[in-house]
Amino acid sequence: MSFNISLSGLNAAQKDLDVTGNNIANASTIGFKQSRAEFADVFSNSVFANTKTQVGSGVNTAAVSQQFSQGALQSTNNSLDLAIKGDGFFILSPEKDSLERTYTRAGAFQINDEGFVTNSLGDYLQVYGVDDSGTPKAVSVNSTDALKIPTEAGKPTKTSNINESINLPADAKALDPASFDPDLSATYNSSTSVIIYDSLGVTHTLTQYFVKDLDAENNITGVPSDPTNVWRVFNYVDEQPVDIKNGYQTGNSAIPNAATLVFTPDGEIDNSQTYSSGYRSNLSIVTEPLGTSSAATPAIGTYDSAGILPNGVDPTQTLTFNLSLTQYASSFQISSLFQDGATVGQLTNVSIGSDGIVAATYSNGTTEKLGMVALAKFSNPQGLTQVGDTSWKESQDSGEAVPGTPGVGTFGGVNSSALESSNTDLSTELVDLIAAQRNYQANSRALEVNSTLQDTILQIR
């Protein structure tokens, strides 16, 4: 019996050494969780045995339990490196369309040749689908999809609306709109430009010229009192004139119809009435279509299209100017100038927030939310089945995976450009290594003593 007791002690000490050695070997493994050997004494007893004199039968390895304490976070320069600060596991799949799931704390990810985000073994990072606001469409393990980062941003969008916030100088010199010439800066007061897009995503330059009307009293009729604070806005796309619907006409066929802006003595847009040769000034200004003109030389006011866009694009494209204008004693200032079109963009940046939202930024200025990093947790993580490569699978002991979103409830937040280090404490492991070694030596000595006693008994004559 004593031989078996000492032998069980040797086996237990060896197991302790193995566990400690494995912890030390993985001290630099990203996402590794140290293990602890747990032992229990062996005690055999029968119904009629005297428990007061019974001796134990040695030791047995009860379990090798992993310790899921938080490892230290280390910063990196890769935005696809992820770490969970708190509870939860990343969800992985061995194939992009597979329903098989594994779980890990190791967040070293990269993009494969198909644009999917994977770890070094090729397992696919899973995300929840989100709407434009970043809200998950469904939160469940089986609803997750492999994260793919497109290198291009969708299809182009033609420009339809241009929002402007501009101050026109009240002390600007008044000029004759009939003499306007875009090639002569002396014939206009100020100008500004913005890039717009057609239906195929081709870029065009829109330029606006602002002219303070020298003879507004004669140019605008049909109002109770002749206005004096009047500006004209001429629009050109790719240096070609664009007519404004119902716009002001100069009588010069080389000059497009202009929008009329009337200001009150307070410097605000006058929206009290509609002028006979223009707009009520607070309404949007709309151009004629920008497509190919049906007339070789269209007359003033008869443009059915500007003849600017090339064949093959949407010829009915018009531009709507939503204006927020003032006329103060200040310089010409543009507070904001925004257009809603976009061309096909190339990927320029990928960012992942603490809420797990993956956002891709493209060269056309658009940003797309591609998904939310999916997390899962378990009621008993120590019951997870180890599958190697710092990954685990669900088991009966662990319970079913509970899906969640980063930073909500007990789930931890996601740190981008960071990795979770192994939670192995080398100082503690080295002390445990010494203790396991001494334990092994003591059991070896006990086995040696038992052998000596057996030899002594056998030598009795």
Side-chain angles (χ1 to χ4, degrees):
M1 177 65 73
S2 58
F3 275 107
N4 291 333
I5 293 174
S6 297
L7 185 58
S8 69
L10 282 174
N11 289 333
Q14 182 63 57
K15 179 69 72 173
D16 199 9
L17 284 169
D18 291 343
V19 171
T20 303
N22 186 61
N23 290 340
I24 294 174
N26 286 282
S28 299
T29 302
I30 297 300
F32 177 78
K33 298 303 176 185
Q34 65 172 342
S35 298
R36 180 179 67 196
E38 299 175 354
F39 303 101
D41 65 325
V42 179
F43 187 83
S44 299
N45 188 26
S46 66
V47 176
F48 302 104
N50 184 358
T51 57
K52 294 182 180 180
T53 60
Q54 281 290 98
V55 177
S57 300
V59 64
N60 186 39
T61 303
V64 177
S65 300
Q66 290 201 288
Q67 308 303 302
F68 286 90
S69 59
Q70 177 79 52
L73 302 188
Q74 60 184 43
S75 298
T76 71
N77 293 321
N78 182 6
S79 62
L80 292 181
D81 285 341
L82 304 178
I84 302 172
K85 189 175 182 180
D87 293 337
F89 294 83
F90 297 114
I91 303 176
L92 303 176
S93 177
E95 302 291 338
K96 58 176 176 283
D97 298 322
S98 173
L99 292 178
E100 182 182 355
R101 299 290 185 262
T102 57
Y103 306 90
T104 186
R105 296 277 297 191
F109 297 109
Q110 58 194 9
I111 299 178
N112 68 7
D113 57 348
E114 295 180 317
F116 288 93
V117 177
T118 66
N119 63 9
S120 58
L121 300 174
D123 293 336
Y124 293 80
L125 177 65
Q126 300 294 297
V127 295
Y128 304 122
V130 297
D131 57 22
D132 292 338
S133 66
T135 303
K137 298 177 181 178
V139 180
S140 68
V141 174
N142 289 334
S143 70
T144 59
D145 296 306
L147 173 60
K148 185 175 183 179
I149 299 179
T151 56
E152 295 183 347
K155 62 181 182 180
T157 304
K158 66 180 180 182
T159 300
S160 297
N161 292 280
I162 299 173
N163 300 331
E164 298 177 285
S165 180
I166 299 175
N167 178 72
L168 300 174
D171 56 354
K173 179 183 178 181
L175 303 170
D176 183 4
S179 301
F180 168 72
D181 185 342
D183 295 327
L184 298 176
S185 60
T187 63
Y188 58 88
N189 299 95
S190 303
S191 65
T192 185
S193 298
V194 64
I195 296 296
I196 62 172
Y197 303 93
D198 62 29
S199 60
L200 295 182
V202 178
T203 61
H204 303 272
T205 301
L206 165 70
T207 305
Q208 289 183 298
Y209 299 91
F210 297 87
V211 179
K212 190 171 185 179
D213 198 330
L214 177 65
D215 194 13
E217 180 176 343
N218 294 324
N219 289 334
I220 296 183
T221 58
V223 294
S225 59
D226 294 324
T228 56
N229 295 322
V230 177
W231 289 75
R232 310 294 184 178
V233 184
F234 298 94
N235 296 277
Y236 282 70
V237 173
D238 293 343
E239 300 183 353
Q240 298 186 54
V242 178
D243 263 358
I244 295 294
K245 291 182 178 179
N246 300 320
Y248 164 79
Q249 300 177 14
T250 65
N252 184 343
S253 61
I255 301 176
N257 293 344
T260 302
L261 306 175
V262 181
F263 293 89
T264 67
D266 295 328
E268 304 291 337
I269 286 287
D270 182 3
N271 59 5
S272 62
Q273 55 193 311
T274 301
Y275 298 101
S276 60
S277 58
Y279 288 93
R280 183 189 298 269
S281 296
N282 67 327
L283 296 181
S284 297
I285 297 172
V286 183
T287 69
E288 295 287 351
L290 304 182
T292 304
S293 176
S294 61
T297 308
I300 283 294
T302 62
Y303 276 48
D304 59 354
S305 57
I308 294 171
L309 301 181
N311 292 328
V313 302
D314 182 5
T316 65
Q317 180 179 358
T318 61
L319 303 176
T320 299
F321 299 92
N322 302 304
L323 304 175
S324 175
L325 302 176
T326 57
Q327 183 191 241
Y328 297 144
S330 180
S331 60
F332 178 78
Q333 295 179 352
I334 302 173
S335 301
S336 65
L337 181 58
F338 169 78
Q339 60 84 34
D340 60 0
T343 186
V344 176
Q346 301 299 316
L347 181 67
T348 58
N349 184 53
V350 176
S351 62
I352 303 176
S354 60
D355 57 359
I357 295 294
V358 182
T361 304
Y362 297 88
S363 58
N364 60 1
T366 62
T367 299
E368 292 187 9
K369 293 181 174 65
L370 306 178
M372 174 186 287
V373 175
L375 297 184
K377 66 177 182 178
F378 300 86
S379 56
N380 176 28
Q382 289 185 332
L384 289 168
T385 300
Q386 296 187 58
V387 293
D389 303 315
T390 58
S391 297
W392 296 266
K393 283 189 176 181
E394 178 184 305
S395 72
Q396 289 185 351
D397 293 335
S398 68
E400 292 185 357
V402 179
T405 56
V408 176
T410 59
F411 285 92
V414 173
N415 283 32
S416 179
S417 300
L419 292 172
E420 182 181 0
S421 302
S422 167
N423 65 350
T424 298
D425 185 339
L426 280 177
S427 298
T428 301
E429 296 299 327
L430 290 174
V431 172
D432 291 344
L433 187 65
I434 295 173
Q437 180 187 14
R438 292 299 176 90
N439 189 17
Y440 193 95
Q441 290 174 335
N443 281 282
S444 298
R445 180 58 179 162
L447 191 62
E448 182 181 352
V449 169
N450 285 325
S451 176
T452 301
L453 291 175
Q454 293 289 338
D455 289 342
T456 301
I457 293 173
L458 291 174
Q459 292 175 6
I460 294 176
R461 296 286 190 270

